[in-house]
Amino acid sequence: MSVTVITYAVIMVRWEPDARGRLGKAAFELFLERGFEQVTVAEIAERAGLTERTFFRYFADKREVLFAGSEAFQALFVSSVENAPESAAPIDAVAAALYVQATQFMEHPAAVRRRQAIIAAHPELRERELIKLATVAAAVADTLRRRGVGEPAASLTAEAGMAVFRIAFERWIADPDGPDLDQVIRESLDELKAVATGRAAVTGK
Amino acid sequence: MSVTVITYAVIMVRWEPDARGRLGKAAFELFLERGFEQVTVAEIAERAGLTERTFFRYFADKREVLFAGSEAFQALFVSSVENAPESAAPIDAVAAALYVQATQFMEHPAAVRRRQAIIAAHPELRERELIKLATVAAAVADTLRRRGVGEPAASLTAEAGMAVFRIAFERWIADPDGPDLDQVIRESLDELKAVATGRAAVTGK
């Protein structure tokens, strides 16, 4: 019985080696070449050397190719907050999660920038991304509450932390030759402290 | 010539007195009675004693009845930030805008709570509301930059301020017998300061 199962698994792998990865790569290439709206699932499958049917085995639609990593993205935030030292202030637990995510992004900056270029060009995708980040913020707030943080502190820390991440990420994207993402996040966290306490300078009109 | 125009205007008013208001009232009633999805534009028009054609003169679809105030909502935030004293710290300019909006909401709390009950019951509407608030945050950041606030301070202040508004609003909605919205906002602004500087207490698991 177990031999049968193993054999089947081997056949599956030989049949469509890394279908998900090939479909993702093909989709990203096509989105960047022609624009997200212009690309069909049939074209993505063709470029990947696979069928449409195989595409739909992995993704609900072409938009989902861009958001396939959302669950892992959220899980990384949540586990990083969970794993912060018990004595850490809520904002420091969230900051730790931002740095972990930044490290992940900095491992393949070109892919992150490519994805962002596609998202930024389409209002519908920007909205989906916004909703994704709001969902992560809610999950982070949940995690903080499980760590014993009360309300509204848990929600405020999660929302402010995700705002820092979003703003730092945009700054990092806008300046490919600028400082690393973790550095931009550090500066933004300091700036959040400054603005929240009314110490942000009005630099003159 | 001017006489003709005046006469025409009078006829218009007699013809459909406060059509927009009647349509809005009818839509809110029906959404609360039957749920947003179950209500058709034809039913809204009928309840208001008007035609579907008249409905579409005022609203693109039934969802837009709920978001008809979005522009005024944003304009109030922007003008409040614009009108804050020149010497005000960015967070205080945004805080002033939150209090102005709170005062507005507190003038007709029942209507605000009714609208929120409809929004909260539908993921699609919650997403639309989230996007509305993100758009306001971007407009507030713009206004801060025009006041001479640099980046990332302008974006961080706007995003943190809108997070405070959203979280305070949710708390106010959740507790109809609790403190007024402006009081909840004041507490949340203080809490933001505490969390950003790492002073939020972990109240024990």
Side-chain angles (χ1 to χ4, degrees):
Chain A
M1 179 65 186
S2 73
V3 172
T4 315
V5 170
I6 289 165
T7 310
Y8 178 71
V10 169
I11 289 169
M12 283 294 289
V13 169
R14 280 201 187 143
W15 188 23
E16 288 165 1
D18 191 26
R20 174 185 277 275
R22 281 157 62 193
L23 288 162
K25 186 168 172 288
F28 272 64
E29 283 173 12
L30 286 164
F31 292 161
L32 283 166
E33 283 169 28
R34 297 194 216 151
F36 175 76
E37 269 116 16
Q38 273 61 55
V39 176
T40 66
V41 167
E43 289 168 333
I44 296 169
E46 197 196 336
R47 169 82 56 110
L50 296 164
T51 63
E52 269 188 80
R53 199 171 148 176
T54 303
F55 178 93
F56 289 116
R57 204 177 299 147
Y58 293 98
F59 305 104
D61 54 37
K62 66 176 175 174
R63 198 179 66 164
E64 287 315 302
V65 180
L66 294 164
F67 293 94
S70 299
E71 275 177 39
F73 179 82
Q74 176 166 323
L76 192 62
F77 270 106
V78 167
S79 66
S80 304
V81 173
E82 271 169 355
N83 296 333
E86 215 172 316
S87 61
I91 193 71
D92 295 328
V94 173
L98 305 191
Y99 293 129
V100 169
Q101 191 62 58
T103 304
Q104 175 102 335
F105 276 10
M106 288 186 303
E107 276 169 21
H108 42 88
V112 173
R113 287 179 186 279
R114 264 200 304 277
R115 177 180 179 278
Q116 191 54 29
I118 300 165
I119 304 274
H122 297 87
E124 175 213 339
L125 300 176
R126 288 203 303 271
E127 290 185 357
R128 177 78 168 74
E129 183 78 353
L130 184 68
I131 290 158
K132 179 182 101 176
L133 294 172
T135 308
V136 173
V140 168
D142 254 355
T143 312
L144 288 172
R145 283 190 294 268
R146 282 201 306 277
R147 282 174 65 96
V149 181
E151 280 295 346
S155 290
L156 282 167
T157 308
E159 295 280 347
M162 289 310 291
V164 162
F165 186 78
R166 210 168 50 241
I167 291 163
F169 180 74
E170 276 167 22
R171 290 172 71 78
W172 177 69
I173 286 287
D175 186 6
D177 302 320
D180 283 342
L181 181 54
D182 56 353
Q183 177 60 28
V184 186
I185 287 173
R186 190 162 293 119
E187 288 166 10
S188 297
L189 280 164
D190 286 345
E191 191 71 31
L192 173 71
K193 201 179 291 186
V195 302
T197 53
R199 286 187 284 105
V202 176
T203 54
K205 304 186 203 202
Chain B
M1 179 65 182
S2 71
V3 171
T4 314
V5 170
I6 288 165
T7 310
Y8 178 70
V10 169
I11 288 170
M12 284 293 288
V13 168
R14 281 203 186 144
W15 189 25
E16 288 165 2
D18 191 25
R20 172 186 278 275
R22 281 158 63 192
L23 287 162
K25 187 167 171 288
F28 272 65
E29 284 172 11
L30 287 164
F31 292 161
L32 284 166
E33 282 169 28
R34 295 194 217 153
F36 175 75
E37 269 117 17
Q38 274 63 52
V39 176
T40 66
V41 167
E43 289 167 333
I44 296 169
E46 197 197 334
R47 169 81 57 109
L50 296 164
T51 62
E52 271 189 79
R53 198 173 150 173
T54 302
F55 178 93
F56 289 115
R57 203 177 301 146
Y58 293 98
F59 305 104
D61 54 39
K62 66 176 176 175
R63 198 178 69 164
E64 286 315 301
V65 180
L66 294 164
F67 293 94
S70 300
E71 275 176 41
F73 179 82
Q74 175 166 324
L76 193 62
F77 271 105
V78 167
S79 66
S80 304
V81 173
E82 271 169 356
N83 295 333
E86 214 169 318
S87 61
I91 193 69
D92 295 329
V94 172
L98 305 191
Y99 292 130
V100 168
Q101 190 63 56
T103 304
Q104 176 100 336
F105 276 9
M106 289 186 300
E107 277 170 21
H108 43 88
V112 172
R113 288 179 185 278
R114 262 200 305 276
R115 178 180 179 279
Q116 190 55 27
I118 300 165
I119 304 276
H122 296 87
E124 174 212 339
L125 299 176
R126 290 203 301 272
E127 290 184 357
R128 176 81 168 72
E129 184 77 354
L130 184 69
I131 291 158
K132 179 182 100 175
L133 293 173
T135 309
V136 173
V140 167
D142 254 354
T143 311
L144 288 172
R145 284 190 293 268
R146 283 201 305 276
R147 282 174 66 94
V149 181
E151 280 296 347
S155 291
L156 282 166
T157 308
E159 295 280 348
M162 289 311 290
V164 162
F165 186 78
R166 208 166 54 237
I167 291 162
F169 180 75
E170 276 166 22
R171 290 173 71 78
W172 178 70
I173 285 286
D175 186 5
D177 302 320
D180 283 342
L181 181 54
D182 56 353
Q183 177 60 27
V184 187
I185 288 174
R186 189 163 295 117
E187 288 165 12
S188 297
L189 281 164
D190 285 345
E191 191 71 32
L192 173 71
K193 202 178 293 186
V195 304
T197 53
R199 285 186 288 105
V202 177
T203 54
K205 303 188 198 192

